[in-house]
Amino acid sequence: MKPIEIDKVQDKLEHFKNKQIYIHLETTNGAYASHFNQDKYNVGAYIRNAKASYHQAKIVGDGKSFRVGLKMEIGWIYAEGLTDWEMLDSKLLMAGHDREGRLMVSLQISETPFSY
Amino acid sequence: MEKHVVVIYPHPDDESFGAAGTVAKFRSEGVPVTYLCGTLGEMGRNMGNPTFANRETLPEIRKQELMDACNILDMELEMLGYRDKTIEFEDRRQVAHHIKTYLDKINPSLVITHYPGFAVHPDHNAYGAAAIEAVSLIEPENRPTVWAQAFSNDTLEKLGTPDIKNDIEKYFDKKIKAILAHASQAIGVISQYRNADNIQSDLNELAKQNLGIERFYVWKY
Ligand SMILES: [Zn+2]
């Protein structure tokens, strides 16, 4: 993946507007967080191939780390901490990595289901 | 001498970090070893450093890494096709029966797996429990010995000293080679051993301290 270019990603977000899409949304600090440091908590969530549709989308950020909000008819999809992006087989992949390259958050949008 | 050893762990790289030295020792004695790998580590967080994988390409990359590591360790590989982070939500009895179909074919004398409740990652605990259940479904007189690996922080306190302590110094280079075959994972995992006390030590030293001995408990049925 490469560092997020805000204009290009905004273009891609527009592309998926008002379409039936599949979402992969995930955040994690790993299964070992509290094993290596007892003061930490294991926290994570993911949803893969949630069907959704949005009519408004925006990416906002300070040039390094970005937030994406997708406005749906009756709710929102939101991700914070995104740093990198890539188009892969017409799928928009966005993710946030820590200094050691570990994935912390990801938001992916596709018109076809993600492999499961 | 063992007749055939089966290693039952859920993730590509568990075999290299957890049991590579033990596997290498068995292979040097001519004992066949088969790895029943549960998932492809699809939900791993390590994407290489610098990153070269992403959430969608990671499964195929890890599959190749797994095959390379198994080649280095000269062991057979079976991939059982579960999904990373979901094994604890599967029907345990069903997973146990699935594993047992392989055990019935191989008829091993020794099974190596994770110690349920003491192996930190939910997949380790769930897959270890299913493996131990699979063995329990075999008639007592035909049951292989089970070595269960535990490494949660309360292991020593709750389980006492491990029954098996394999000093794998002789096979350490091979173990490191197998670990490094997991290029997307290796550095990220080893660097997690860093803490306030050893922040200066290099990765080789960390690896030696943490991976030089492979410990197991003999499961009692
Ligand atoms: Zn594992």
Side-chain angles (χ1 to χ4, degrees):
Chain A
M1 302 180 92
K2 54 196 181 223
I4 283 179
E5 303 145 282
I6 193 164
D7 295 339
K8 289 188 180 163
V9 173
Q10 183 66 48
D11 270 1
K12 296 296 176 190
L13 292 174
E14 301 295 335
H15 164 80
F16 290 105
K17 219 162 73 175
N18 296 318
K19 287 180 177 161
Q20 145 93 66
I21 51 159
Y22 295 87
I23 293 282
H24 172 99
L25 177 63
E26 165 189 7
T27 179
T28 178
N29 65 351
Y32 298 92
S34 66
H35 175 69
F36 287 110
N37 182 344
Q38 293 191 357
D39 297 332
K40 292 202 171 149
Y41 299 89
N42 288 357
V43 175
Y46 84 84
I47 183 164
R48 190 164 174 85
N49 285 331
K51 280 192 200 177
S53 176
Y54 62 81
H55 59 272
Q56 194 175 311
K58 204 188 272 191
I59 176 165
V60 181
D62 60 6
K64 268 177 99 177
S65 179
F66 298 83
R67 296 171 299 282
V68 167
L70 310 176
K71 190 172 190 180
M72 301 183 292
E73 200 181 7
I74 52 164
W76 288 85
I77 292 168
Y78 170 90
E80 180 177 16
L82 300 167
T83 55
D84 300 280
W85 81 296
E86 178 177 332
M87 287 302 293
L88 182 77
D89 308 328
S90 309
K91 296 170 163 63
L92 172 58
L93 314 185
M94 295 169 282
H97 300 96
D98 67 12
R99 265 171 230 97
E100 274 154 332
R102 293 188 194 106
L103 186 143
M104 300 185 289
V105 58
S106 81
L107 171 58
Q108 306 183 158
I109 305 171
S110 170
E111 288 177 58
T112 54
F114 294 97
S115 72
Y116 55 96
Chain B
M1 193 177 109
E2 298 299 341
K3 190 172 55 181
H4 196 137
V5 176
V6 173
V7 178
I8 307 180
Y9 289 146
H11 306 125
D13 79 3
D14 289 335
E15 81 299 336
S16 294
F17 282 103
T22 302
V23 169
K25 179 175 162 291
F26 281 127
R27 290 302 297 126
S28 76
E29 294 165 358
V31 179
V33 181
T34 303
Y35 183 24
L36 308 184
C37 188
T39 78
L40 293 178
E42 292 92 342
M43 293 301 287
R45 316 189 277 157
N46 287 298
M47 298 290 171
N49 186 12
T51 60
F52 58 84
N54 62 51
R55 178 55 73 236
E56 300 309 307
T57 59
L58 190 65
E60 279 305 313
I61 289 171
R62 294 197 71 175
K63 188 178 182 178
Q64 189 58 53
E65 293 171 351
L66 172 64
M67 294 191 289
D68 293 344
C70 288
N71 272 336
I72 290 164
L73 297 173
D74 191 25
M75 68 172 163
E76 295 297 317
L77 170 64
E78 303 278 359
M79 291 171 275
L80 272 64
Y82 295 98
R83 192 175 171 87
D84 193 19
K85 285 196 175 171
T86 66
I87 296 181
E88 63 182 327
F89 309 112
E90 297 282 358
D91 181 315
R92 183 193 295 170
R93 184 45 68 115
Q94 220 173 328
V95 179
H97 277 288
H98 187 189
I99 290 171
K100 185 169 176 286
T101 60
Y102 291 91
L103 300 182
D104 287 343
K105 255 184 288 176
I106 297 167
N107 193 19
S109 55
L110 175 67
V111 163
I112 295 176
T113 191
H114 285 124
Y115 199 119
F118 291 88
V120 183
H121 193 298
D123 283 336
H124 297 170
N125 289 328
Y127 201 51
I132 282 165
E133 187 164 326
V135 172
S136 80
L137 298 171
I138 301 171
E139 293 297 305
E141 59 272 23
N142 297 326
R143 259 178 220 161
T145 304
V146 174
W147 288 359
Q149 187 161 51
F151 48 88
S152 58
N153 292 321
D154 59 352
T155 294
L156 264 184
E157 175 200 331
K158 300 247 173 75
L159 300 180
T161 350
D163 304 305
I164 311 286
K165 277 190 216 168
N166 290 339
D167 184 338
I168 55 125
E169 202 187 340
K170 212 174 137 192
Y171 304 98
F172 196 74
D173 290 345
K174 186 160 245 189
K175 174 162 183 162
I176 291 296
K177 225 179 135 197
I179 287 173
L180 293 179
H182 297 280
S184 67
Q185 308 298 307
I187 306 302
V189 175
I190 294 172
S191 63
Q192 289 188 81
Y193 300 134
R194 272 211 182 98
N195 58 40
D197 303 327
N198 63 16
I199 200 83
Q200 298 297 341
S201 50
D202 70 9
L203 292 178
N204 268 342
E205 256 324 292
L206 283 176
K208 271 235 157 74
Q209 286 166 18
N210 288 279
L211 302 166
I213 297 178
E214 294 172 356
R215 301 173 176 85
F216 306 93
Y217 294 85
V218 176
W219 191 261
K220 288 170 198 76
Y221 280 96

